[in-house]
Every structure is written in C-alpha cells, then in structure tokens.
Amino acid sequence: MREEKKENQALAIDVLQHGYADDPRPIVKREPVVIAVGVDQFKLLEIIPKTIDVDIHEMLYIGDGERPKVERVKRRLKYEELTSTARIELPFAIEKIVSQNEARFIEFFNKSVPISLKLHMLHLLPGIGKKLLSEILDARQKAPFTSFEDIRSRIKAMQHPERMIAERILEEIMDPSVKYHLFTSR
C-alpha cells in the first residue's frame, strides 16, 4: 500500500552504549548502537551514533545532510533481531509517533477505500467489522473527521482510534507475512 522511500527521522527505542552483548570483539573495539523505528514507514533500524548522548524515545534526524547525533544508519532490522528492551519500547514508540502525526492518520480514516468487493482498508484495523465500518463511512460522508477526539465523539464504539492504528502498525512490523501493508513498507 505504501511506496518504499527513505526515512528522514527515527525514534530511538534502545541505546546500547557498548554495542551488542553477544559481540565477540573486546569491549573497547565495539561501537555504540541505537535501535530505532522510522517515523514515516516504521522501518526498524540499527543506527551508529556520533556520541552515546542519545536517550530512549529521542527523535533522531537520519535524512540527507548534516546529522547532529547520527554517524550512519547501518542496516534495517527484522522484528526478531530487536533486543528485549527494543521490543518492550516499540509499542510505546509507535503510539507516540501516531499521536504526534495525528493529521496523517485522520486522513487515513477520511480517505481509505475498498481493497476489493468484500474488503475495505478500515476492515484491516483491529476491532472494525461490518457494522462499525458502515458507521464510520456514514459519519465521514456527513463531514470529514478532524481529530481522534472527533472520531471518538461521533463514533461511540471507537474510544481509542489511535490505539487501533498503533496495533495495526505493530502487527505489520511483527508479521512479515501480512498481505496488506497500510502504514509500513515491506
């Protein structure tokens, strides 16, 4: 669903000041590692920082040009390669990104379309069935949604639309066999 493009910002979800614990090299030869999740396509990244002055949930610029805290993006990670700390922090980081980019996800609710005759993009969000889907489509036809709060007030059965999106993003990251990627790139 999303086209592949380069991430410009990432949110740190783990900071390994002395590199990975299972690295066989002597501790003085290891380089620090930051594990992060991209803000635009939620790519899991291994980043080599310039300094170890990086905090968990800190936003890092990883685009082209001068990077204040990042030396280089080393590689893309799979969910299975994350450290236990990164796995614990990932859902919180996703929720933070969703809440900070509310307009982008409200646009999804306003502009989502059917994928096939029997499947709508909104069906892919956890907890949305036929009845709730028709309620959402009726409400957005009257007037486009303006915020998560607007969705909550107009659709009584959806008290946490931001969590529905965060859960779907997490599912897309954790399960590479998911057929439709609404928010992540493969």
Side-chain angles (χ1 to χ4, degrees), residues 13 37 41-44 76-82 86-92 94 166-181 184-186:
I13 54 176
V37 58
Q41 296 189 355
F42 299 94
K43 293 176 182 175
L44 301 174
R76 191 167 167 187
L77 298 170
K78 293 183 175 120
Y79 180 77
E80 300 78 39
E81 297 175 299
L82 293 180
R87 287 182 191 200
I88 291 168
E89 292 297 329
L90 183 60
F92 301 111
I94 291 170
E167 285 177 31
R168 175 63 193 189
I169 292 167
L170 195 57
E171 180 185 350
E172 291 177 19
I173 290 171
M174 291 172 68
D175 186 3
S177 66
V178 168
K179 186 173 181 180
Y180 299 106
H181 286 255
T184 65
S185 62
R186 290 188 186 267

Side-chain angles (χ1 to χ4, degrees), residues 19-143:
Y20 291 102
D22 59 357
D23 189 341
R25 296 177 295 175
I27 201 160
V28 293
K29 292 196 176 192
R30 296 183 198 169
E31 56 189 355
V33 173
V34 174
I35 298 174
V37 58
V39 171
D40 188 46
Q41 296 189 355
F42 299 94
K43 293 176 182 175
L44 301 174
L45 305 167
E46 182 177 285
I47 296 171
I48 306 302
K50 289 181 179 176
T51 67
I52 55 172
D53 182 31
V54 176
D55 297 319
I56 290 181
H57 292 277
E58 181 177 345
M59 195 65 70
L60 301 170
Y61 177 73
I62 57 170
D64 296 331
E66 181 61 31
R67 300 172 177 163
K69 290 191 171 190
V70 175
E71 184 179 310
R72 70 184 189 278
V73 177
K74 189 170 182 179
R75 66 188 178 116
R76 191 167 167 187
L77 298 170
K78 293 183 175 120
Y79 180 77
E80 300 78 39
E81 297 175 299
L82 293 180
T83 61
S84 57
T85 302
R87 287 182 191 200
I88 291 168
E89 292 297 329
L90 183 60
F92 301 111
I94 291 170
E95 282 187 28
K96 182 176 181 177
I97 293 168
V98 169
S99 65
Q100 288 178 346
N101 296 283
E102 184 174 1
R104 170 180 156 198
F105 298 104
I106 294 302
E107 184 179 343
F108 170 78
F109 277 101
N110 287 327
K111 295 188 176 182
S112 58
V113 295
I115 296 170
S116 68
L117 290 174
K118 294 184 178 186
L119 185 65
H120 196 282
M121 290 171 90
L122 290 169
H123 269 143
L124 299 175
L125 295 179
I128 295 186
K130 290 179 183 177
K131 185 176 178 184
L132 191 53
L133 174 67
S134 75
E135 198 176 330
I136 294 167
L137 295 177
D138 290 344
R140 83 175 188 187
Q141 195 169 19
K142 292 174 187 167

